[in-house]
Amino acid sequence: MTKSGSAVKVLFVTTELAPFSKVGGLGDVAGSLPKALRQAGVDVRVVTPAWPGVLEKAAAAGLKTTTVKTKVYAAYDWRIHKAEVIKAEVKGVPTYFLKAEDYTGDMYPSQLNFWTASPFAVFCMQALELKDAIDWEPDIYHCHDWTSAFLPCALAWHRHYRQTGGKSIMTLHNVAYQGIFEPSPFLEASGLEPWSFSSSTMEFYGQVNLLKGGIVAASAVSTVSPTYANEIQTYESTRELSGILYQQRSKLRGILNGLDVKFWDPAGDKEIPAKFTVKDLKGKAACKRELLSRAGLDPNTEAPVIVCVSRLVEQKGFDMVFSAASQIAETGAKLLILGSGNDWIENGIMQASEAYPQSIKLFKGYDEPLSHLMYAGGDIFLMPSVFEPCGLSQMISMRYGTVPVVREVGGLRDTVFDVDRPEGGNGFTFQTCDAEGMMWALRRAVDRYNNDKTAWKKIMLEGMHEDFTWDKSAGLYKDMYEDLMQ
Ligand code: ADP
Ligand code: GLC
């Protein structure tokens, strides 16, 4: 509630929104947290760019859209950038897709420079202009990652917007991506005051760092798990940015992500061949057979199936996986990986699968339906991340009775607990960031699966019973909004 007793008005400013423009977990969060916040009594709305294909996906999903009469205009790089506002209700949340020529290229540029970063700055300004077009003014702009970090910077340092007022929150989903590029001609083109480019604001070793600016300028900062909130204040985790995060720690909170538990539900999932529940697990075996067939392997094997669904980037620790390929094959388990990303990681996995074709298989690419079959048909979910702000995949896998094997880091540490602790747990964990550490946990999991089916079922059920709803965390976000309104 605000002081006047009305619901807090929050505009979610996000460049990813599941299921229309999802690359990773940010899309999932933006596609599910707002609904939970509305249920908690927050007047939240969402604004997002209509990247190529987004409106088509919305139409295919049967979403009813209307074009708002007034367009939004933002001044940037000596030009007026116009966007059409397309409104839709997504899971009961008023959502605004901005359609403009600024959003016709790749969603995430491979090289960041003034030209490729500009659509993100324009998006933030158009989000700030939206209030007049829709006749609804947010109390708080809730921004996510570097791609919307220009918004808090604009509220603090832009010649025009710093006079308009408004509070902002910066949520850090992944501090490894900061939006760093050359300051020229950005500083002149963006309308930011020259003094915004200093070491205490958005300057970073002579470059612009949008995330650093957003962290400094925002009224509050959050990240997606309590452990990651602590880790990012250390040099070991975030290098040069750790000093700023430590300095800003009084406004930093760690709030664990939740899941859209209706969407990720083995009892009703349309993408899997047989449904299953905690009470009746039979369907899971049919999913496993289907998955093995898709992989060209014997569908009736007794061996455990280890699955990974992931972006193939350094963060996710796949070098540990392919350097341990022979040891994984020796366990007798089958390893199926779905993902795409860096060439060197894809090649490493390809080589491992060529060396052990009966044990390791890569499904290359991004494939939402197949991801559901992987979660449902696997026995073990492997996630040996180097760092992990929260991680949703390990939670999804637990919902589908697929037991996680993870490194104890970030949000993995807050959600997966080793079964061999005296108090028991829901998965297998390891600490050291190397293949030996990973194999120590993976071998324990494979042994348990092979030799103790009763214990295995207990671990599966432990994970399936976990509460991964947004309920608790939506309350914590609401508290953060209300604290800002005091
Ligand atoms: P991150 O956001 O770092 O990628 P998360 O675990 O938070 O990691 O979220 C990843 C999300 O993206 C999950 O919903 C996962 O199922 C999905 N995902 C990742 N890679 C793929 C892929 N290749 N195909 C389909 N879905 C994928
Ligand atoms: C990021 C992180 C991931 C987190 C997701 C959603 O992509 O890598 O750990 O779950 O954002 O917050």
Side-chain angles (χ1 to χ4, degrees):
M1 292 283 167
T2 59
K3 272 186 201 150
S4 63
S6 55
V8 188
K9 288 185 278 179
V10 177
L11 184 64
F12 245 61
V13 183
T14 177
T15 52
E16 280 184 45
L17 181 66
F20 314 110
S21 53
K22 167 177 155 182
V23 174
L26 167 58
D28 285 312
V29 172
S32 55
L33 173 56
K35 179 181 164 200
L37 288 169
R38 277 193 96 77
Q39 281 161 357
V42 177
D43 181 3
V44 63
R45 303 188 183 195
V46 175
V47 64
T48 193
W51 299 108
V54 161
L55 294 173
E56 290 75 1
K57 278 191 196 151
L63 222 63
K64 201 172 149 286
T65 55
T66 49
T67 304
V68 173
K69 272 205 199 95
T70 318
K71 295 187 172 49
V72 291
Y73 300 89
Y76 178 87
D77 195 18
W78 321 112
R79 217 158 54 75
I80 298 297
H81 295 251
K82 179 177 75 180
E84 252 181 80
V85 182
I86 318 285
K87 184 179 176 191
E89 288 253 317
V90 180
K91 299 179 191 164
V93 180
T95 301
Y96 304 93
F97 296 98
L98 300 186
K99 187 177 167 203
E101 62 180 31
D102 296 281
Y103 314 125
T104 49
D106 281 349
M107 189 171 158
Y108 286 130
S110 51
Q111 290 290 324
L112 208 57
N113 55 39
F114 167 68
W115 290 274
T116 56
S118 289
F120 300 98
V122 169
F123 168 57
C124 290
M125 289 184 175
Q126 289 177 339
L128 285 166
E129 294 291 339
L130 187 66
K131 60 184 192 311
D132 295 327
I134 62 173
D135 198 20
W136 177 88
E137 183 166 1
D139 300 308
I140 298 169
Y141 291 92
H142 189 162
C143 304
H144 301 268
D145 278 352
W146 76 266
T147 50
S148 53
F150 182 76
L151 194 150
C153 300
L155 283 175
W157 306 313
H158 188 274
R159 286 185 197 106
H160 168 64
Y161 296 111
R162 78 189 175 88
Q163 295 163 44
T164 61
K167 295 192 161 70
S168 62
I169 290 177
M170 193 68 247
T171 290
L172 310 173
H173 296 263
N174 197 332
V175 178
Y177 305 96
Q178 298 173 9
I180 299 176
F181 54 94
E182 284 287 316
S184 178
F186 173 75
L187 292 175
E188 307 81 64
S190 62
L192 295 181
E193 298 282 7
W195 43 263
S196 64
F197 192 64
S198 82
S199 60
S200 59
T201 53
M202 64 192 304
E203 187 271 345
F204 193 67
Y205 298 88
Q207 308 268 83
V208 167
N209 182 326
L210 287 178
L211 193 69
K212 179 185 171 195
I215 292 166
V216 174
S219 326
V221 180
S222 75
T223 185
V224 290
S225 70
T227 296
Y228 192 59
N230 289 329
E231 287 172 353
I232 56 177
Q233 298 174 44
T234 64
Y235 185 79
E236 196 194 3
S237 161
T238 30
R239 305 284 156 197
E240 289 74 17
L241 203 67
S242 58
I244 286 290
L245 286 156
Y246 180 72
Q247 190 196 76
Q248 301 285 324
R249 67 191 181 284
S250 64
K251 63 181 197 193
L252 172 66
R253 315 183 183 200
I255 304 177
L256 199 64
N257 282 335
L259 290 181
D260 181 339
V261 292
K262 256 190 156 166
F263 181 75
W264 295 112
D265 180 6
D269 193 324
K270 291 189 204 72
E271 307 290 356
I272 59 177
K275 322 281 175 244
F276 54 94
T277 63
V278 269
K279 291 210 180 85
D280 181 1
L281 285 166
K282 277 196 298 297
K284 190 164 169 70
C287 295
K288 179 171 173 177
R289 282 195 296 276
E290 167 85 14
L291 177 60
L292 283 162
S293 300
R294 287 279 292 268
L297 298 171
D298 173 9
N300 297 312
T301 177
E302 296 275 302
V305 171
I306 307 168
V307 290
C308 305
V309 178
S310 185
R311 293 181 296 121
L312 300 181
V313 294
E314 259 166 79
Q315 169 189 347
K316 304 291 180 179
F318 278 94
D319 48 336
M320 293 179 229
V321 176
F322 55 72
S323 62
S326 64
Q327 299 173 57
I328 295 173
E330 270 162 30
T331 66
K334 310 290 171 194
L335 171 64
L336 309 180
I337 301 173
L338 167 63
S340 62
N342 297 350
D343 289 346
W344 71 272
I345 302 177
E346 288 182 3
N347 291 339
I349 301 171
M350 281 307 293
Q351 280 165 17
S353 73
E354 279 157 19
Y356 304 99
Q358 286 311 308
S359 305
I360 301 177
K361 165 92 191 173
L362 171 65
F363 295 105
K364 205 162 122 177
Y366 183 92
D367 188 333
E368 181 78 38
L370 179 57
S371 74
H372 290 241
L373 182 63
M374 303 270 293
Y375 289 119
D379 297 302
I380 296 171
F381 189 85
L382 178 62
M383 198 164 173
S385 304
V386 179
F387 68 94
E388 196 59 70
C390 179
L392 302 175
S393 298
Q394 81 283 11
M395 299 197 246
I396 301 172
S397 72
M398 282 189 262
R399 284 214 28 93
Y400 287 75
T402 303
V403 174
V405 172
V406 305
R407 186 160 168 257
E408 280 177 34
V409 70
L412 297 175
R413 198 168 156 223
D414 297 334
T415 50
V416 182
F417 308 100
D418 199 286
V419 294
D420 290 332
R421 302 175 316 165
E423 61 273 47
N426 53 18
F428 295 83
T429 67
F430 64 99
Q431 286 176 356
T432 49
C433 194
D434 54 31
E436 281 76 62
M438 182 190 80
M439 284 311 299
W440 174 72
L442 197 56
R443 276 201 198 95
R444 280 191 297 131
V446 171
D447 286 349
R448 203 69 49 95
Y449 177 90
N450 286 336
N451 302 320
D452 194 342
K453 289 283 184 277
T454 313
W456 190 260
K457 187 169 174 201
K458 189 165 171 267
I459 309 168
M460 286 169 69
L461 293 180
E462 192 73 34
M464 291 179 89
H465 278 119
E466 294 285 355
D467 177 8
F468 294 124
T469 63
W470 273 107
D471 297 354
K472 187 164 167 238
S473 296
L476 296 174
Y477 277 109
K478 190 178 178 202
D479 291 346
M480 177 162 66
Y481 300 147
E482 292 184 346
D483 289 349
L484 280 189
M485 300 312 295
Q486 297 310 307

